[in-house]
Amino acid sequence: MGILNKLEDAEVLDRVVEPTQKVARRLPPGPVRDTLYGTWLGHPVHPMLVQASVGAWLSAGVLDLRRGSDDAARRLAAFGLLVAAPAVLAGTADWSEQHEQQMRVGVVHALANGTAIGLYGASLLARTPARRRALRYAGLGVASVGALLGGRLSFRQAGGVNHAESVPYLVEPGWHDLGTFDDLPDGRPVRRMLDEVPLLVLRRGRAADVLSDRCSHLSGPLSDGEVSDGCITCPWHGSVFRLFDGSVVHGPATAPQPLFETEVRDGILRVRLPGAG
C-alpha cells in the first residue's frame, strides 16, 4: 500500500521517535527487559500478549450486536484494558531496538493502539448503553488499524522475526573448508564467507567457535562485536550470545544463532552444521 510505504519514509515522525526511544530505553538491559523481549520464550512475547486484548474487544463487538448484552460487553472491554498493559510494555521494549523505518511505523501503530485503549476506557465511563456501544466500536475500528500496522511491522518489515532462520537451508550438508587455521587471529572475531553465508569465527588457541554472523535480531554483524566471558555482543542493538552454543544470553534477540561444528584437518579449518553428516 502506497500510504504505508510513505509512512516508512516519513522523516517528520523522527521528531516523535527519537525522544520516545530515549524514554523507552531508560529500563536498563537485564532480566526485566529480557522477559519483555521474550528471550525465555524463543520468540517475541508482544504478539502473544496482544491476542488477549484483541480477542476480548472483538468478542465485546460481537456481543454488542445483541440487545441486553451491554454488561457482558463492558466486562470484556475492561478485561481487554487490563491485559493491554503488559502488551504495551513488551511492544515498547521491542520497538526501542529497531531500525528507523520500523520505528516510524511502530510509533503510529502505538498511537492507534493508545487511541483504542482511550476509547475503551471512555466506554466504561459512559452513562448510556448506546454511547458505550459506539465507543467500543470506535475502539475496535482504531485497534484494527493498529493491527494492520502491526502486521506491516512483522511481515513486511520483518520486525521480530528470526533473521538467521534461513542459514540451515543455505548450507549444504557435510564439511566445508573455511580457510587456513593459522591465518586466523587468536581471540579476535572475524568474518569468513561460506558461499553466500557470512560466518563469525573466533579462534581460541588450537580450537575455534563458529556461528552465523548475521544477528538473529536484525542481521547485525556479530563479527564486529565485542567478546567477553565467552559471549559475543551484537554492535547494533546489544544482543548477547554464547559462543560455544549460540544461545541467547540477553535480548533484544530471542532466537539463538546457528552453530557450526569445527575441525582442523591438514591446517584447514572445516565447518559443518550439527547433524549434517
Side-chain angles (χ1 to χ4, degrees), residues 19-197:
T20 306
Q21 184 187 36
K22 290 180 181 178
V23 173
R25 284 180 167 178
R26 286 183 178 176
L27 180 63
V32 175
R33 284 193 78 95
D34 288 341
T35 298
L36 293 174
Y37 290 140
T39 55
W40 54 276
L41 187 62
H43 61 77
V45 72
H46 172 67
M48 179 180 71
L49 295 174
V50 166
Q51 302 311 307
S53 290
V54 172
W57 292 341
L58 184 59
S59 298
V62 173
L63 288 179
D64 277 330
L65 295 173
R66 299 178 53 191
R67 292 185 179 275
S69 299
D70 182 64
D71 285 344
R74 289 183 73 185
R75 288 193 289 271
L76 283 168
F79 176 78
L81 287 171
L82 180 66
V83 295
V88 168
L89 290 174
T92 301
D94 290 344
W95 172 85
S96 69
E97 302 295 345
Q98 293 184 328
H99 294 321
E100 59 182 12
Q101 289 186 320
Q102 295 167 330
M103 296 185 77
R104 291 167 186 160
V105 174
V107 77
V108 181
H109 167 70
L111 177 62
N113 289 335
T115 301
I117 288 171
L119 288 167
Y120 276 104
S123 75
L124 298 180
L125 302 176
R127 295 184 178 182
T128 66
R131 185 166 178 79
R132 289 193 289 268
R133 187 181 306 112
L135 287 167
R136 286 193 291 264
Y137 275 128
L140 184 60
V142 177
S144 298
V145 175
L148 170 68
L149 294 171
R152 176 84 173 192
L153 276 165
S154 297
F155 302 112
R156 174 64 179 269
Q157 296 182 294
V161 303
N162 177 7
H163 287 256
E165 176 65 21
S166 63
V167 170
Y169 305 101
L170 296 174
V171 177
E172 295 292 331
W175 289 100
H176 304 270
D177 293 349
L178 207 57
T180 303
F181 183 80
D182 288 340
D183 289 343
L184 295 170
D186 199 350
R188 180 168 63 85
V190 295
R191 170 181 282 201
R192 291 292 183 266
M193 297 300 297
L194 179 57
D195 295 328
E196 73 260 42
V197 179

Side-chain angles (χ1 to χ4, degrees), residues 222-244:
L222 292 183
S223 54
D224 290 342
E226 295 185 2
V227 175
S228 178
D229 297 326
C231 298
I232 186 81
T233 299
C234 179
W236 282 7
H237 300 102
S239 296
V240 181
F241 303 91
R242 288 191 179 91
L243 285 161
F244 79 88

Side-chain angles (χ1 to χ4, degrees), residues 9 16 27 76 151 159 250:
D9 297 326
V16 178
L27 180 63
L76 283 168
H250 294 299

